[in-house]
Amino acid sequence: MSVALAIAVLFGVFFLLLFAGIPISVSIAISSMMTALFFLSWEQSTFVVMQSMNLGTESFSLLAVPLFIFAGNIMNNGGIARRLIDLAQVLAGRIPGSLAHTNVLGNMLFGSLSGSAVAAAAAVGGTLHQRQKDEGYDPAFSTAVNIASAPTGLLIPPTAAVIVYSTIAGGVSISALFMAGYGPGILMGLAVMATAFLYARKHSYSVSGRTSARLALQILLRAIPSLLLIVVVVGGIVFGVFTATEGAGVAVLYTLLLALAYRSMSWADFRQVMIRTVSTTGVVMFLIAASSAMSWVMAYTGIPGAISSAVLSISDTRFVIFLLMLVVLLVVGTFLDITPAILIFTPIFLPVVTELGMDPVHFGIVLILAMCIGTMTPPVGSVLFVSCGVSGVTIEQVAPRLIPYFVVLILVLLAVTYLPALSLGLPQVLGLLE
């Protein structure tokens, strides 16, 4: 009875506040405090909630989060996006609907470097939108492609999302998670490109003009310094040269040097980058702190165990349990951003899937991929709103064009869930899994 009461109070208050328009982090903190008050005194509740919030952010690994945010903001202002888009256009230039494929590849390249789906959607989509419009592309189609491909950067490393998951999941290897993200992230981008290709061929969209070998080489050489960031940071973390946090510091230093070399960021721009970094970091860290309090309350009241038992009582078949989990995550993703979703649902579902034999690294990638799809959906679809904002297309106009991408991305999610080799193959080859 006490567990049922805890579930009713915790999630009832949380969703009530959420639908009332209260910020997610505040809703989490208030619902956690109110649930604690049903089982502990005011003094005890205040102490344990505040202590949990404090301890939740006292992690050396979490220091990587603001550093990666800082590096991403520098890249968004440092002229890096333009060079990556030029490279993407060379790679996709001879495919029907080449600018749409340029958009996808640009999001994959820039998103993997910045670690932000929103930054990729704004930088790449904003740069290519007018060019696509001038060449006769349907603006709703172009916007849909940008929306569907921008979240790939949340899977392709380096990305802060896996660091948050690693911390909450009890120290799951960040190196293994980084490598596990490549297969699903690339598969996600290829699925979007295949869908865009079919639409572009049906509507006879043109290909870009042929790029000379000399110009292509120049573009590649201009992009190599940016691409080396992946080699330096991810390679250094995977092969044990430095930790994820130290790698994030290297990323900041490297991107600063690139911005100085490109002469594309003034002192005023740098100050704005610092302000945005501090603002975003404050939001993310308060989310982590509040979610740590919720995790403590759930553990104290036995909510994860009760939910695990309830889910496992429905069926003992892996296929059914995993499918049920995916449905919940896709629904949750429509109104929760990726960070709070990871923080809330990792302690709930991780015990269930590990009991059924799913590797924690595999689950982390499945969880993040499901939340990637959630960034495309209202009412909290950050990528959806940013992409529509930079293109000037309304949600009502883009919604019909998005449906085919939802379908293929859900198929990708199912494939990644039920075919572990898609995510675990690379970490196993590199010896990163036990």
Side-chain angles (χ1 to χ4, degrees):
M1 182 63 185
S2 60
V3 177
L5 175 63
I7 292 174
V9 174
L10 183 65
F11 292 107
V13 173
F14 172 69
F15 287 118
L16 182 65
L17 294 173
L18 199 63
F19 290 127
I22 306 298
I24 292 174
S25 54
V26 178
S27 300
I28 293 172
I30 293 175
S31 60
S32 301
M33 185 65 185
M34 291 189 67
T35 306
L37 286 171
F38 272 84
F39 299 92
L40 302 169
S41 67
W42 169 260
E43 292 79 9
Q44 291 173 322
S45 299
T46 304
F47 176 77
V48 297
V49 168
M50 293 301 105
Q51 185 183 51
S52 298
M53 293 179 70
N54 182 56
L55 291 175
T57 57
E58 287 187 352
S59 169
F60 180 71
S61 296
L62 285 179
L63 184 59
V65 174
L67 290 173
F68 275 127
I69 292 172
F70 190 18
N73 285 333
I74 295 171
M75 282 185 277
N76 206 25
N77 287 267
I80 294 174
R82 176 72 265 172
R83 289 164 172 79
L84 295 177
I85 291 171
D86 290 342
L87 176 62
Q89 189 163 6
V90 170
L91 296 174
R94 304 305 298 171
I95 307 173
S98 56
L99 287 180
H101 303 301
T102 300
N103 196 331
V104 177
L105 292 174
N107 276 329
M108 293 173 70
L109 292 170
F110 183 73
S112 67
L113 291 172
S114 67
S116 170
V118 171
V124 180
T127 301
L128 288 173
H129 169 70
Q130 190 57 48
R131 194 186 307 178
Q132 291 175 325
K133 190 174 181 180
D134 292 343
E135 293 199 14
Y137 285 63
D138 176 9
F141 162 72
S142 302
T143 304
V145 171
N146 191 44
I147 293 168
S149 59
T152 54
L154 297 174
L155 282 168
I156 303 175
T159 171
V162 302
I163 296 171
V164 174
Y165 169 76
S166 172
T167 304
I168 300 302
V172 177
S173 169
I174 294 175
S175 298
L177 285 165
F178 272 0
M179 291 297 100
Y182 274 112
I186 293 172
L187 183 61
M188 185 179 177
L190 292 176
V192 174
M193 290 181 71
T195 309
F197 171 80
L198 294 176
Y199 183 92
R201 190 172 64 174
K202 178 180 179 181
H203 293 81
S204 302
Y205 283 169
S206 61
V207 299
S208 298
R210 185 178 296 276
T211 303
S212 67
R214 182 178 180 181
L215 180 58
L217 180 60
Q218 289 176 346
I219 291 172
L220 175 61
L221 292 175
R222 290 178 65 213
I224 282 178
S226 302
L227 295 175
L228 280 177
L229 176 63
I230 298 176
V231 178
V232 172
V233 175
V234 177
I237 293 172
V238 169
F239 294 107
V241 178
F242 38 68
T243 66
T245 303
E246 292 164 347
V250 171
V252 171
L253 177 61
Y254 191 93
T255 51
L256 275 174
L257 292 175
L258 280 185
L260 290 173
Y262 293 155
R263 298 181 181 179
S264 54
M265 189 167 62
S266 65
W267 173 250
D269 293 332
F270 181 73
R271 186 171 61 180
Q272 289 302 312
V273 164
M274 292 288 290
I275 292 172
R276 281 199 304 273
T277 299
V278 171
S279 176
T280 304
T281 298
V283 172
V284 172
M285 296 309 288
F286 185 67
L287 265 172
I288 293 172
S291 298
S292 297
M294 177 177 276
S295 296
W296 184 91
V297 169
M298 287 194 295
Y300 180 79
T301 56
I303 290 176
I307 293 177
S308 297
S309 299
V311 170
L312 292 172
S313 67
I314 295 173
S315 173
D316 57 0
T317 306
R318 285 164 49 97
F319 181 88
V320 175
I321 298 299
F322 290 171
L323 187 61
L324 178 63
M325 177 188 70
L326 294 181
V327 171
V328 172
L329 292 177
L330 288 172
V331 172
V332 165
T334 63
F335 56 84
L336 277 185
D337 205 354
I338 186 166
T339 300
I342 291 172
L343 294 166
I344 293 171
F345 287 94
T346 296
I348 291 176
F349 282 123
L350 184 58
V352 177
V353 297
T354 51
E355 187 169 337
L356 293 171
M358 179 182 278
D359 190 283
V361 172
H362 183 197
F363 171 70
I365 299 302
V366 170
L367 174 60
I368 294 170
L369 177 53
M371 293 303 105
C372 285
I373 298 174
T375 64
M376 301 162 51
T377 56
V380 192
S382 53
V383 172
L384 172 68
F385 292 116
V386 168
S387 296
C388 288
V390 298
S391 67
V393 175
T394 65
I395 294 175
E396 291 78 13
Q397 290 173 321
V398 78
R401 297 285 186 268
L402 266 177
I403 292 174
Y405 298 100
F406 278 125
V407 173
V408 297
L409 291 180
I410 288 173
L411 291 175
V412 169
L413 177 61
L414 290 170
V416 171
T417 301
Y418 293 109
L419 299 174
L422 291 175
S423 56
L424 299 182
L426 188 54
Q428 286 174 338
V429 168
L430 295 174
L432 298 174
L433 295 177
E434 296 180 0

